[in-house]
Short mmCIF file of all heavy atoms in Angstrom, two decimals:
data_model
loop_
_atom_site.label_atom_id
_atom_site.label_comp_id
_atom_site.label_asym_id
_atom_site.label_seq_id
_atom_site.Cartn_x
_atom_site.Cartn_y
_atom_site.Cartn_z
N ARG Q 8 -40.82 -82.82 68.00
CA ARG Q 8 -40.19 -84.12 68.45
C ARG Q 8 -38.98 -83.92 69.31
O ARG Q 8 -38.78 -84.61 70.32
CB ARG Q 8 -39.79 -84.93 67.21
CG ARG Q 8 -41.02 -85.54 66.47
CD ARG Q 8 -40.60 -86.61 65.40
NE ARG Q 8 -39.73 -85.98 64.40
CZ ARG Q 8 -40.15 -85.45 63.31
NH1 ARG Q 8 -41.46 -85.46 63.03
NH2 ARG Q 8 -39.34 -85.06 62.37
N ARG Q 9 -38.16 -82.97 68.92
CA ARG Q 9 -36.93 -82.70 69.76
C ARG Q 9 -37.33 -82.21 71.11
O ARG Q 9 -36.65 -82.64 72.16
CB ARG Q 9 -36.06 -81.63 69.09
CG ARG Q 9 -35.27 -82.20 67.97
CD ARG Q 9 -34.37 -81.19 67.37
NE ARG Q 9 -33.49 -80.62 68.38
CZ ARG Q 9 -32.58 -79.69 68.20
NH1 ARG Q 9 -32.43 -79.21 67.04
NH2 ARG Q 9 -31.91 -79.23 69.23
N ALA Q 10 -38.35 -81.39 71.27
CA ALA Q 10 -38.73 -80.90 72.57
C ALA Q 10 -39.35 -82.03 73.45
O ALA Q 10 -39.00 -82.14 74.62
CB ALA Q 10 -39.73 -79.74 72.42
N ARG Q 11 -40.14 -82.90 72.80
CA ARG Q 11 -40.68 -84.00 73.57
C ARG Q 11 -39.60 -84.94 74.00
O ARG Q 11 -39.60 -85.44 75.13
CB ARG Q 11 -41.73 -84.78 72.70
CG ARG Q 11 -43.06 -84.02 72.68
CD ARG Q 11 -44.17 -84.92 71.98
NE ARG Q 11 -43.92 -84.96 70.55
CZ ARG Q 11 -44.23 -83.97 69.65
NH1 ARG Q 11 -44.77 -82.82 70.13
NH2 ARG Q 11 -43.99 -84.03 68.39
N LYS Q 12 -38.58 -85.19 73.14
CA LYS Q 12 -37.50 -86.07 73.45
C LYS Q 12 -36.72 -85.48 74.58
O LYS Q 12 -36.31 -86.18 75.58
CB LYS Q 12 -36.60 -86.28 72.27
CG LYS Q 12 -35.53 -87.31 72.46
CD LYS Q 12 -34.73 -87.60 71.23
CE LYS Q 12 -33.65 -88.55 71.41
NZ LYS Q 12 -32.88 -88.87 70.18
N ALA Q 13 -36.45 -84.23 74.51
CA ALA Q 13 -35.67 -83.52 75.61
C ALA Q 13 -36.43 -83.58 76.95
O ALA Q 13 -35.86 -83.86 78.03
CB ALA Q 13 -35.34 -82.10 75.26
N LEU Q 14 -37.74 -83.37 76.86
CA LEU Q 14 -38.60 -83.47 78.06
C LEU Q 14 -38.56 -84.85 78.67
O LEU Q 14 -38.43 -85.05 79.89
CB LEU Q 14 -40.03 -83.06 77.77
CG LEU Q 14 -40.34 -81.58 77.80
CD1 LEU Q 14 -41.76 -81.32 77.31
CD2 LEU Q 14 -40.18 -80.94 79.19
N ALA Q 15 -38.65 -85.87 77.79
CA ALA Q 15 -38.67 -87.24 78.27
C ALA Q 15 -37.31 -87.55 78.93
O ALA Q 15 -37.24 -88.29 79.92
CB ALA Q 15 -38.95 -88.22 77.11
N GLY Q 16 -36.22 -87.03 78.37
CA GLY Q 16 -34.91 -87.26 78.92
C GLY Q 16 -34.74 -86.59 80.28
O GLY Q 16 -33.89 -87.09 81.09
N MET Q 17 -35.46 -85.58 80.50
CA MET Q 17 -35.32 -84.81 81.82
C MET Q 17 -36.24 -85.37 82.88
O MET Q 17 -36.05 -85.10 84.06
CB MET Q 17 -35.68 -83.29 81.63
CG MET Q 17 -34.75 -82.61 80.73
SD MET Q 17 -35.37 -80.97 80.26
CE MET Q 17 -35.13 -80.15 81.90
N ALA Q 18 -37.16 -86.25 82.49
CA ALA Q 18 -38.08 -86.85 83.46
C ALA Q 18 -37.40 -87.51 84.62
O ALA Q 18 -36.55 -88.36 84.39
CB ALA Q 18 -39.04 -87.80 82.78
N GLY Q 19 -37.66 -87.06 85.81
CA GLY Q 19 -37.06 -87.62 87.01
C GLY Q 19 -35.67 -87.08 87.35
O GLY Q 19 -35.19 -87.50 88.35
N LYS Q 20 -35.10 -86.31 86.55
CA LYS Q 20 -33.76 -85.81 86.74
C LYS Q 20 -33.76 -84.46 87.40
O LYS Q 20 -32.77 -84.11 88.01
CB LYS Q 20 -33.05 -85.68 85.39
CG LYS Q 20 -32.68 -87.08 84.80
CD LYS Q 20 -31.93 -87.00 83.49
CE LYS Q 20 -31.71 -88.37 82.92
NZ LYS Q 20 -31.10 -88.36 81.66
N LEU Q 21 -34.79 -83.72 87.26
CA LEU Q 21 -34.92 -82.40 87.90
C LEU Q 21 -35.53 -82.58 89.29
O LEU Q 21 -36.40 -83.42 89.52
CB LEU Q 21 -35.78 -81.41 87.12
CG LEU Q 21 -35.22 -81.00 85.75
CD1 LEU Q 21 -36.16 -80.16 85.00
CD2 LEU Q 21 -33.86 -80.31 85.92
N PRO Q 22 -35.10 -81.72 90.31
CA PRO Q 22 -35.71 -81.92 91.59
C PRO Q 22 -37.18 -81.59 91.54
O PRO Q 22 -37.58 -80.66 90.83
CB PRO Q 22 -34.94 -80.92 92.48
CG PRO Q 22 -34.31 -79.99 91.55
CD PRO Q 22 -34.09 -80.68 90.20
#
Side-chain angles (χ1 to χ4, degrees):
R8 285 192 300 270
R9 284 186 52 182
R11 281 187 288 283
K12 186 176 180 179
L14 277 172
M17 294 172 70
K20 294 181 182 176
L21 294 176

